[in-house]
Amino acid sequence: MLVAFLISRSILNSIGLLQKAALEMGRGNLNVRIKPPGKDELGILANAFNQMAEDLQQATAYTLNICESLT
């Protein structure tokens, strides 16, 4: 029973970190990254989030450079 509690708590903590990072990114902080908790499904999801954040940051910088060159 204790093992199940610890596992569920670990999963909820990881999901909570992903949620906080997603909300932070939604507020415009494109520098937010998550330390992957492991190589399991949550780690894969954290890596995907980090890649998405990196891609979004690069696309935003590219778009800003284009807009600045037009002025």
Side-chain angles (χ1 to χ4, degrees):
M1 195 70 163
L2 178 61
V3 172
F5 172 76
L6 294 174
I7 291 171
S8 66
R9 184 175 174 149
S10 174
I11 291 169
L12 288 175
N13 286 341
S14 296
I15 291 171
L17 290 174
L18 282 163
Q19 179 188 22
K20 287 178 184 178
L23 291 172
E24 189 67 24
M25 187 183 295
R27 292 184 189 106
N29 180 1
L30 301 181
N31 295 315
V32 66
R33 300 295 185 272
I34 302 168
K35 181 181 176 198
K39 295 184 179 186
D40 59 2
E41 290 84 356
L42 289 169
I44 293 168
L45 185 57
N47 284 325
F49 177 89
N50 291 338
Q51 186 61 55
M52 179 185 66
E54 183 68 30
D55 293 346
L56 185 58
Q57 189 175 37
Q58 289 178 5
T60 301
Y62 179 75
T63 303
L64 288 174
N65 285 337
I66 290 173
C67 291
E68 288 174 359
S69 70
L70 296 174
T71 58

